[in-house]
Amino acid sequence: MPSLAKRLESVPASPIRKLVPYAQAAKKSGTKVYHLNIGDPDIKTPEEMIGVLKSWDKNPISYELSQGSTKFLEALTWYYHSLGFTFIETKNIQVTNGGSEAISMALFATCEPGDEVIVFEPFYANYNSYAALNGVKIHAITTTIESGFHLPSKKTIEKAINDKTKAILFCNPNNPTGTVYTKEEIEMLVDIATEHGLFLLSDEVYREYTYDGKTQVSLLSYMPKVPDQAIVLDSMSKRYSLCGARLGALVSLNPNLLAGVLRIAQGRLSSGFIDQAMASELVHVENQYIVNVQKEYELRRDALFRGLQSIPGVTVRKPEGAFYVIVGLPVGDSEAFCQWLLTDFRDQNETIMIAPAGGFYATVGKGKNEVRIAYVLNTKDLKRSIDLLRIALSLYNKTK
Ligand SMILES: Cc1ncc(COP(=O)(O)O)c(C=O)c1O
């Protein structure tokens, strides 16, 4: 019997999905589970996009061009122009199978096996998977709840740079912390990249979701300044509630990088024909759609934040964007607690599913008393979920 590759073990299970079997068992036994564990929004996809499916008449369902369908590339170009980034042309965009593939392609394109990428922890846990698949080492710099998970000083970041460092990968607005980096923070990263000759990989899949009147500072604003080093990673999943369409984009002004990722894209042939036809309708989606979704998330954020603040022993900072928050809980081991919620705890035959935060850190032992909550439910369900958490915590600390 041949042995499996050792490297297979280097790919971690998703901390967001690994409790799924317990949730399934709970549901099978008739328990209602409120899902706060995964960023799969309940917001409706725009009708303009659904309309494409309803009136579909193309047969057969063929491949598309490897770079992306002409219509979708033009729609994306239109979108970036609408944000003021008029220097973006279709040739600067590679359509990807979700933002996930954009991240993986960017790592493959910028790093040799064994190279290091600086990431600020806690970070989107799947970065671990993309790093493992590409043989890249994540060099984590810890950010803390006390500083609202904002970036450390330039000096601290520079200390982490060594001769293996090739890039800084950051997420803004941030999953899992909800932090929106300031203009000064983005400019600091651009300065560091310039001074140390590093790539900047900016994951902006939550670009539109910022609250309290804040706006996101995109790396696109600095792309002409560092044209060969700046790479923006984008997604349709959250902006248009299109998670299942599996569409994203890699944006760059570096022609060699684009030529290389196109060769990767040719190897996997194309992104979905139907998906791209549907997403191309983004040009017809009223801006009000995004404004309404953003407002809805802000209401949810407020309800969640108020509720969490009222639970004894809970530590939380008001998230500034995206739809996640890292929450400190009065428990010793948040993974055991999250599992217990699904296996043992019930209130009126209901429970919640939340993600233990340990998997969002690279440093072993960090995040042990933290969880990540995704506020992807309507306000009523969110309020009920907070009540469930309150009841569960008081019971758990009595039973343990
Ligand atoms: C920070 C971040 N980046 C990238 C992705 C990947 O999204 P997708 O592959 O659905 O575009 C996600 C999904 O949740 C995310 O949260």
Side-chain angles (χ1 to χ4, degrees), residues 256-270:
N256 293 332
L257 175 104
L258 288 160
V261 294
L262 177 60
R263 293 195 297 276
I264 305 175
Q266 286 166 348
R268 56 81 164 125
L269 305 178
S270 82

Side-chain angles (χ1 to χ4, degrees), residues 208-261:
E208 274 76 11
Y209 303 134
T210 54
Y211 314 122
D212 305 318
K214 280 198 172 67
T215 46
Q216 185 242 25
V217 178
S218 172
L219 182 63
L220 287 165
S221 309
Y222 300 91
M223 202 171 248
K225 193 174 167 201
V226 276
D228 289 334
Q229 289 157 265
I231 304 169
V232 167
L233 311 159
D234 216 338
S235 168
M236 300 301 109
S237 295
K238 320 289 166 164
R239 192 169 305 136
Y240 304 107
S241 258
L242 269 182
C243 292
R246 311 306 308 130
L247 283 177
L250 180 153
V251 185
S252 160
L253 296 180
N254 181 328
N256 293 332
L257 175 104
L258 288 160
V261 294

Side-chain angles (χ1 to χ4, degrees), residues 65-69 72-73 76 80 93-106 205 231-237 245-251 258 261-262 264-265 268 270-272 275-276 279:
L65 296 170
S66 294
Q67 190 196 342
S69 79
F72 187 41
L73 284 167
L76 285 171
Y80 292 118
I93 303 171
Q94 170 63 52
V95 172
T96 56
N97 296 333
S100 307
E101 192 189 34
I103 301 165
S104 200
M105 278 182 176
V205 314
I231 304 169
V232 167
L233 311 159
D234 216 338
S235 168
M236 300 301 109
S237 295
R246 311 306 308 130
L247 283 177
L250 180 153
V251 185
L258 288 160
V261 294
L262 177 60
I264 305 175
R268 56 81 164 125
S270 82
S271 291
D275 299 342
Q276 293 185 79

Side-chain angles (χ1 to χ4, degrees), residues 16 38-40 96-103 124 126-127 130 171-176 203-206 233-238 242-244 246-249 323-324 372:
I16 310 164
I38 191 159
D40 200 349
T96 56
N97 296 333
S100 307
E101 192 189 34
I103 301 165
Y124 176 50
N126 287 337
Y127 290 166
Y130 316 133
C171 179
N172 178 38
N174 193 280
N175 172 11
D203 180 340
E204 304 191 2
V205 314
Y206 299 97
L233 311 159
D234 216 338
S235 168
M236 300 301 109
S237 295
K238 320 289 166 164
L242 269 182
C243 292
R246 311 306 308 130
L247 283 177
F323 38 72
Y324 306 95
R372 185 197 71 168

